[in-house]
């Protein structure tokens, strides 16, 4: 089955700096890669996603890049703010008929210091 | 629009008791997923349904766990009998799956379960 590895497990940055989180996946049939942000006491919330026919996608201060050949994708957050502090998860869909099943990475705890 | 609704938000019960967690997916979504989140194991997929039919329950840890989806707007996850190691946050998520395009999963805010 699909395996998703996420790094780093913790990331600490100063406000205004950029943050990058990287993930690799194993299933070459995967074609959908969402990123989630989880705040304390809440469920994971989708912040951006990318499909395999696109190499990069941006939404204001966040962007995601995808390298299908190398089977890795990354989340980039620019001009970080304290409210960006949260746990971030990457995910990849399972190939074939999986009814939307996702495999999640282990999560990255991002801390943005004012 | 209402998101995924889970109840209760918190549950504290004694070992051996039956626990029932409830989920109302987003209207129109046809796939529903139950997850368990712990510090040690992260986010684990327990079971998922498509059009109310269980597709894969290989993540259910033991026979003490069972899940049902009697209709498109309601699902339950039951633990009987409960054990302290079942303590975790349980999430329900739903998505509008089509064979042409994956759609994102939307999560509820979870049920924090503590078994004493």
């Amino acid at each position: 089955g699909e395996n998703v590895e996420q790094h780093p497990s913790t990331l600490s940055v100063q406000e205004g700096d950029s943050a990058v989180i990287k993930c690799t996946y194993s299933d070459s049939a995967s074609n959908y890669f969402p990123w989630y942000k989880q705040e304390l006491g809440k469920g994971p919330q989708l912040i951006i996603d990318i499909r395999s026919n696109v190499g990069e996608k941006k939404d204001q201060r966040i962007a995601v890049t995808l390298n299908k050949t190398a089977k890795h994708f990354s989340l980039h957050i620019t001009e970080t703010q304290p409210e960006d502090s949260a746990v971030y998860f990457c995910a990849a869909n399972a190939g074939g008929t999986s009814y939307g099943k996702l495999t999640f990475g282990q999560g990255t705890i991002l801390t943005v210091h004012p | 629009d209402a998101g995924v609704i889970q109840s209760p938000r918190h549950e504290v019960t004694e070992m051996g008791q039956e626990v029932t967690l409830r989920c109302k997916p987003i209207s129109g979504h046809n796939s529903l997923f139950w997850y368990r989140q712990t510090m040690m194991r992260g986010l684990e997929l327990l079971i998922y349904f498509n059009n109310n039919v269980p597709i894969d329950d290989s993540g259910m840890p033991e026979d003490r766990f069972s899940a049902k989806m009697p209709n498109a707007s309601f699902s339950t996850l039951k633990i009987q009998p409960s054990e302290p190691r079942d303590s975790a946050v349980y999430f329900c998520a739903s998505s509008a799956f089509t064979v042409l395009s994956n759609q994102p999963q939307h999560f509820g805010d979870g049920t924090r379960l503590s078994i004493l």
Side-chain angles (χ1 to χ4, degrees), chain B residues 67-105:
Chain B
K68 294 182 179 179
M69 191 163 187
N71 57 62
S73 59
F74 183 65
S75 178
T76 59
L77 178 68
K78 189 170 292 187
I79 309 172
Q80 167 63 22
S82 58
E83 297 183 4
R85 60 190 166 131
D86 301 332
S87 298
V89 182
Y90 290 80
F91 288 104
C92 174
S94 69
S95 72
F97 173 77
T98 73
V99 295
L100 296 177
S101 173
N102 277 277
Q103 297 300 316
Q105 291 183 20

Side-chain angles (χ1 to χ4, degrees), chain B:
Chain B
D1 287 342
V4 174
I5 300 172
Q6 291 187 245
S7 64
R9 287 298 316 277
H10 303 274
E11 175 89 10
V12 180
T13 192
E14 291 189 345
M15 175 177 153
Q17 296 297 307
E18 178 179 290
V19 173
T20 300
L21 310 181
R22 297 173 175 80
C23 175
K24 178 177 169 55
I26 292 172
S27 178
H29 282 191
N30 58 358
S31 285
L32 183 139
F33 306 82
W34 281 101
Y35 294 88
R36 178 171 69 176
Q37 186 176 43
T38 61
M39 289 294 291
M40 291 297 294
R41 300 174 70 92
L43 201 57
E44 300 174 273
L45 177 64
L46 301 177
I47 185 171
Y48 65 101
F49 297 80
N50 181 259
N51 291 327
N52 313 337
V53 176
I55 302 300
D56 183 353
D57 66 354
S58 60
M60 298 284 259
E62 298 173 35
D63 291 346
R64 298 183 295 105
F65 286 69
S66 63
K68 294 182 179 179
M69 191 163 187
N71 57 62
S73 59
F74 183 65
S75 178
T76 59
L77 178 68
K78 189 170 292 187
I79 309 172
Q80 167 63 22
S82 58
E83 297 183 4
R85 60 190 166 131
D86 301 332
S87 298
V89 182
Y90 290 80
F91 288 104
C92 174
S94 69
S95 72
F97 173 77
T98 73
V99 295
L100 296 177
S101 173
N102 277 277
Q103 297 300 316
Q105 291 183 20
H106 297 267
F107 284 76
D109 281 336
T111 294
R112 182 173 295 276
L113 178 63
S114 297
I115 308 297
L116 306 176

